[in-house]
Amino acid sequence: MIALAAFLVGCSGDSPSPDDPGASSSPSPAAADRSAAKSADERYGSFDAVEASGEGEAVVPLPPEVADTDGGIIRMTYEGTEPLVLWSLDGEGEKQMILIDGVIEANTADRGTFDGESMWWPANPAPHGLEVEGDGVWELSVVPVSSAPPLASEGRGTRVFLYDGEGGVITGSRADTAVGMAVTEFSLPRSGGTPKNVVTTPSADAEFGLDLAPGPSVLIVSHRDEWTINLPDEG
């Protein structure tokens, strides 16, 4: 999470039937997206998206079904003069962990702004509510992991993606070498089990390489600035 769990820091189209002799051995992009999303729902659970906005400090209550999940994504933007800190709250309304920490340099180059995502997973308690600390205007949404988009070839900031590729070594680059970058992969077994957490932390060089496991999985790309990933053409 960005506190990313004390980290460093919600398709269309028909796919061939498996019984069709003319079916491709590789799923179409749409089928792959559905496969990863289905696996994410099975592993982490689902709920209706929650949206909130405001200015300055606030407490955002969350519906009970959010606290019943093993994982979820928080998307947030913030514009102020003081750093943003977002806490998860337990069932008694007490602070239990930091989900977003705008004080950490790796999360944002300007401590008065934030535009990114965070995630909780089975190792962390699900939030019953959220507490915003800061003096700026903010918007947030809490969505199920299955709503994450497919892994993108470029982006900015910390983002959560679904991945259903073949895995292997993938290269990329980043604009800001003053701070580190990390990619966290949670494998999603098709028949239950505990996700495997593989973390690759590239060096300070602009170029980096990732050795990904085959999908379906969830990927968290963590960097405060722009980044690119050279995705292979998997048909």
Side-chain angles (χ1 to χ4, degrees), residues 1-7 44 66-72 88 96-99 118-127 186 197 220:
M1 288 171 147
I2 305 210
L4 239 54
F7 150 62
Y44 297 111
V66 174
D68 291 336
T69 63
D70 281 337
S88 70
Q96 58 186 9
M97 70 174 293
I98 294 176
L99 295 170
S118 182
M119 178 180 166
W120 75 90
W121 50 75
N124 316 128
F186 295 89
N197 184 352
I220 305 176

Side-chain angles (χ1 to χ4, degrees), residues 152-159 161 173-175 181 221 223-229:
S153 60
E154 60 182 20
R156 183 187 182 95
T158 294
R159 305 292 170 183
F161 299 99
S173 62
R174 57 200 177 97
M181 177 176 178
V221 181
H223 186 50
R224 72 183 188 184
D225 207 336
E226 296 177 351
W227 48 263
T228 62
I229 295 177

Side-chain angles (χ1 to χ4, degrees), residues 100-163:
I100 295 174
D101 191 346
V103 176
I104 297 177
E105 187 180 23
N107 293 339
T108 177
D110 180 350
R111 294 188 177 186
T113 66
F114 181 82
D115 184 351
E117 299 178 350
S118 182
M119 178 180 166
W120 75 90
W121 50 75
N124 316 128
H128 292 253
L130 302 171
E131 183 169 334
V132 180
E133 292 183 356
D135 64 355
V137 175
W138 52 267
E139 294 184 359
L140 68 79
S141 58
V142 184
V143 298
V145 179
S146 59
S147 69
L151 179 61
S153 60
E154 60 182 20
R156 183 187 182 95
T158 294
R159 305 292 170 183
V160 182
F161 299 99
L162 297 178
Y163 176 69

Side-chain angles (χ1 to χ4, degrees), residues 49-84:
V50 178
E51 296 186 352
S53 61
E55 182 173 2
E57 298 184 353
V59 171
V60 180
L62 297 176
E65 54 265 32
V66 174
D68 291 336
T69 63
D70 281 337
I73 299 169
I74 299 170
R75 298 170 178 155
M76 191 162 189
T77 60
Y78 170 82
E79 190 78 32
T81 60
E82 296 294 327
L84 166 70

